[in-house]
Amino acid sequence: FNLMSALHKSMRNSDPDATGYWLARMVEAGEDPMYIARRLGRFASEDVGNADPQALTVAVAADEAFRRLGMPEGIFPLAQCCTYLASTVKSNASYLAFSTAQEDVTEHGALPVPAHLRNAPTALARSMGHGDGYRYPHDEGGHAAGQAYLPEALAGRRYYEPKDAGFEIKLKARLARLRGAGGASEGS
């Protein structure tokens, strides 16, 4: 666990040299490469996230390449993934968003789904008001301003706050426009 911690923290600090060293130490110590691959996937989501959405694709590809190649050649895609993850821009905003949402689920329990978001596949469901008032975003230019998507008790709650890093800069600007239009703030 100490070696994985060193690898993870080296990638998080954008140090591909230390990352390579700790990966080599783990391989030489006989660590299961599938454990390493799994942790790279986690890192790509937890520590890189939407700052570089390609990171998860790289991690999944490295995992698949290892499965196809096996040892010893399969280590090279894992090494490539490690240096990529260490070198790319980082953001934990998606991870923080999910963690905060989990805290709200724990604190507030299973809040009811707003009626307009409920599925209405039957006449009975429709008669109970399921789907009433739902506005289809594609009919409104891709964004139904003012439509609430969170339970009433969490109205206006923000979970995802993109950082000023990599691709999240674009996401942050887009969400600022949408939230300013009175839409995403209702359900972000």
Side-chain angles (χ1 to χ4, degrees):
F1 290 111
N2 286 333
L3 293 175
M4 180 50 77
S5 178
L7 176 70
H8 195 109
K9 289 172 181 166
S10 297
M11 289 189 299
R12 184 181 288 147
N13 195 52
S14 300
D15 188 336
D17 303 311
T19 297
Y21 175 79
W22 294 118
L23 176 64
R25 283 277 312 274
M26 291 178 77
V27 170
E28 289 302 312
E31 184 60 67
D32 179 4
M34 294 310 305
Y35 170 69
I36 297 169
R38 182 176 65 80
R39 292 297 300 257
L40 295 177
R42 175 185 174 177
F43 184 90
S45 287
E46 181 180 343
D47 284 281
V48 177
N50 288 327
D52 181 353
Q54 185 67 21
L56 185 56
T57 302
V58 169
V60 170
D63 180 289
E64 183 162 335
F66 177 82
R67 291 172 192 268
R68 289 181 182 212
L69 296 172
M71 286 294 282
E73 294 89 353
I75 290 299
F76 300 125
L78 296 180
Q80 178 184 352
C81 179
C82 283
T83 57
Y84 182 86
L85 294 176
S87 301
T88 196
V89 63
K90 316 289 188 295
S91 171
N92 67 346
S94 292
Y95 169 77
L96 293 174
F98 180 72
S99 296
T100 304
Q102 273 189 315
E103 290 170 8
D104 277 353
V105 168
T106 299
E107 180 179 338
H108 298 282
L111 295 171
V113 173
H116 67 281
L117 297 180
R118 294 180 187 183
N119 193 19
T122 65
L124 176 61
R126 287 187 292 280
S127 74
M128 295 172 60
H130 292 201
D132 283 355
Y134 174 71
R135 294 168 38 213
Y136 189 59
H138 294 290
D139 290 343
E140 299 186 31
H143 177 64
Q147 183 81 65
Y149 289 90
L150 283 170
E152 189 175 320
L154 299 174
R157 184 78 161 109
R158 294 238 200 281
Y159 296 113
Y160 182 55
E161 293 292 345
K163 299 193 177 182
D164 292 319
F167 187 70
E168 280 194 328
I169 293 169
K170 290 182 179 184
L171 294 177
K172 186 175 189 174
R174 180 173 192 278
L175 287 176
R177 286 191 308 277
L178 293 175
R179 288 170 173 167
S185 64
E186 298 298 322
S188 62

